[in-house]
Amino acid sequence: MENTSQTFEQTERTTLTRSLKRGTYDKQTIYDILDESLVCHVSYVQNGQPFMIPISYGRMDDKLYIHGSVGSHFFRELAKGIDVCICITLLDGLILARSTFHHSVNYRSVVIFGKTELVTDEEERWKALECFTEHIIPGRWNDARQPNASEMKKTMVISIPLEEASAKVRTGGVNDDEEDMDLNVWAGVLPLKLVPQLPEPDAALDSSIVLPDYIKNYNNSVKIV
Amino acid sequence: MENTSQTFEQTERTTLTRSLKRGTYDKQTIYDILDESLVCHVSYVQNGQPFMIPISYGRMDDKLYIHGSVGSHFFRELAKGIDVCICITLLDGLILARSTFHHSVNYRSVVIFGKTELVTDEEERWKALECFTEHIIPGRWNDARQPNASEMKKTMVISIPLEEASAKVRTGGVNDDEEDMDLNVWAGVLPLKLVPQLPEPDAALDSSIVLPDYIKNYNNSVKIV
């Protein structure tokens, strides 16, 4: 059943028990976090034990996609259709309160619960690969050499439906106690940002090949997938 | 039994099955990643299902520490002594290869397996709180107002022994196939760095309080915990 509403349905697993005002089920908020971050953490259970792997991903509509080698033990587990919990976290700043107790960080995080699905449809697999590349850096798919048949065969694509998801977001400044407001301590926010540095061309790169605009102007924070 | 060697013992859970050359059990490599990152992801199992929470942390010697409210459902679970898998990931750059197949990211990640322990010793709890604050920004503990008895009572401190841990690190440039080397595609690395932005003083801050040097000179990448 497709969820056409603006928010994800709240379930027992996604119901927040702390800091309720930071939580949201708003789809656009969740999609924006997924589209900005580049790494997700996937946890799963094996023999009753928790396991976790950090991995890059892509999003298309109401699905999250990850890919890996068909020879990977982890991906062969995922192909069976197992329960996963996926978390994506963006760190936005340090909250330097007057008291150490109220120190915190500004962040935007998403938690997703779902069952993995092996993607077998060749068109969906192809689109997922385009999505991974464009998620890393928009504009790259039509510039770089696209996958050939052998590479497609070596690649497993897994999807996770975005049905059970929630976000938690802390923004704003310090929240000190009234009695600490007169302390002689600097208080405020130190914002943090993932910033691209100078591109480092491959040593073997033909010097006539210029840096494309989509790399020159890369800005992770305003990336549109 | 204390592990006094330079490396963590390799166990079945920490044995890598893919990209073996990226893996290491070297303690210093693992500590450096833990000391630089500010957020870890903690996964655990409840009713056979995987759950995950992103949280800040600190490290002292061979233990990782996290803290939260004594009223938190998550922390009350952790206090029971449960199996967790913890992952820390630093993203260092985008690998823009000539083929989309060889696109990748440079990263440094650590995976830790262990059982949580409720810290009850008041001296260890106090040192852990100092460690959290100094992990966020070194120099802060002796500047800000330190915890009072009531705040200590509200705070639960949990430790996880660093005994079963491994790191995976990708560095360097693109690894294109020989037959792609002559393609007319820019190839190289786009490094990414978490960079502090201009500090934003609290609106209520007394204008006579100047920004301390340890904030002015904050550099996450060279942070010493």
Side-chain angles (χ1 to χ4, degrees), chain B residues 89-103:
Chain B
T89 306
L90 293 163
L91 186 61
D92 293 326
L94 309 180
I95 304 299
L96 305 174
R98 292 163 181 86
S99 67
T100 58
F101 186 74
H102 286 296
H103 274 60

Side-chain angles (χ1 to χ4, degrees), chain A residues 16-20 101, chain B residues 67-79 118 151-157:
Chain A
L16 302 172
T17 54
R18 304 284 304 174
S19 306
L20 305 191
F101 187 74
Chain B
H67 72 304
S69 165
V70 292
S72 149
H73 169 76
F74 173 54
F75 270 86
R76 280 183 291 184
E77 282 300 308
L78 297 180
L118 175 67
E151 290 167 345
M152 289 301 289
K153 225 178 242 177
K154 285 181 198 158
T155 304
M156 192 187 286
V157 177

Side-chain angles (χ1 to χ4, degrees), chain A residues 57-104:
Chain A
Y57 65 92
R59 180 186 72 86
M60 290 194 291
D61 302 324
D62 265 357
K63 280 188 184 173
L64 197 83
Y65 291 84
I66 56 177
H67 73 304
S69 164
V70 291
S72 149
H73 169 76
F74 172 55
F75 270 85
R76 280 184 291 184
E77 282 300 307
L78 297 180
K80 295 174 186 168
I82 61 171
D83 286 309
V84 290
C85 178
I86 298 179
C87 187
I88 286 103
T89 307
L90 293 163
L91 185 62
D92 292 327
L94 309 180
I95 303 299
L96 305 173
R98 292 162 181 86
S99 68
T100 58
F101 187 74
H102 285 296
H103 274 59
S104 184

Side-chain angles (χ1 to χ4, degrees), chain A residues 182-198:
Chain A
D182 289 333
L183 291 177
N184 184 27
V185 179
W186 190 92
V189 180
L190 185 62
L192 297 173
K193 208 173 164 216
L194 196 66
V195 177
Q197 310 293 299
L198 279 184

Side-chain angles (χ1 to χ4, degrees), chain B residues 7-212:
Chain B
T7 58
F8 288 111
E9 201 180 327
Q10 186 174 336
T11 68
E12 196 184 330
R13 289 193 293 193
T14 60
T15 296
L16 302 173
T17 55
R18 304 284 303 174
S19 308
L20 306 190
K21 67 182 194 305
R22 294 184 190 170
T24 178
Y25 303 91
D26 177 62
K27 283 189 174 181
Q28 198 53 53
T29 304
I30 289 169
Y31 290 163
D32 287 347
I33 296 169
L34 297 182
D35 295 349
E36 180 174 333
S37 181
L38 292 166
V39 176
C40 71
H41 288 82
V42 179
S43 69
Y44 60 106
V45 181
Q46 208 169 25
N47 304 323
Q49 295 281 318
F51 284 82
M52 192 170 359
I53 281 194
I55 195 162
S56 60
Y57 65 93
R59 180 187 72 86
M60 290 193 290
D61 303 324
D62 265 357
K63 279 187 184 174
L64 196 83
Y65 291 85
I66 56 177
H67 72 304
S69 165
V70 292
S72 149
H73 169 76
F74 173 54
F75 270 86
R76 280 183 291 184
E77 282 300 308
L78 297 180
K80 295 174 186 169
I82 60 170
D83 286 308
V84 291
C85 177
I86 298 181
C87 187
I88 286 104
T89 306
L90 293 163
L91 186 61
D92 293 326
L94 309 180
I95 304 299
L96 305 174
R98 292 163 181 86
S99 67
T100 58
F101 186 74
H102 286 296
H103 274 60
S104 185
V105 293
N106 275 343
Y107 64 92
R108 288 166 290 152
S109 68
V110 167
V111 172
I112 300 160
F113 295 96
K115 231 183 228 318
T116 55
E117 284 169 22
L118 175 67
V119 180
T120 53
D121 179 81
E122 279 303 316
E123 194 184 324
E124 188 179 357
R125 278 162 47 79
W126 183 261
K127 279 191 177 166
L129 293 182
E130 174 177 355
C131 173
F132 297 136
T133 309
E134 289 291 293
H135 187 201
I136 290 178
I137 186 160
R140 190 68 179 168
W141 179 254
N142 285 322
D143 189 12
R145 199 262 292 153
Q146 294 175 5
N148 58 35
S150 153
E151 290 167 345
M152 289 301 289
K153 225 178 242 177
K154 285 181 198 158
T155 304
M156 192 187 286
V157 177
I158 297 284
S159 71
I160 298 99
L162 293 174
E163 286 167 2
E164 211 176 332
S166 63
K168 234 173 148 177
V169 175
R170 192 206 187 279
T171 56
V174 299
N175 296 318
D176 268 309
D177 295 330
E178 198 50 46
E179 58 266 36
D180 289 329
M181 293 304 285
D182 290 333
L183 291 176
N184 185 28
V185 180
W186 189 93
V189 180
L190 186 63
L192 297 173
K193 206 173 165 215
L194 196 66
V195 177
Q197 311 292 298
L198 280 183
E200 299 166 355
D202 182 28
L205 189 71
D206 185 325
S207 60
S208 71
I209 300 178
V210 296
L211 188 71

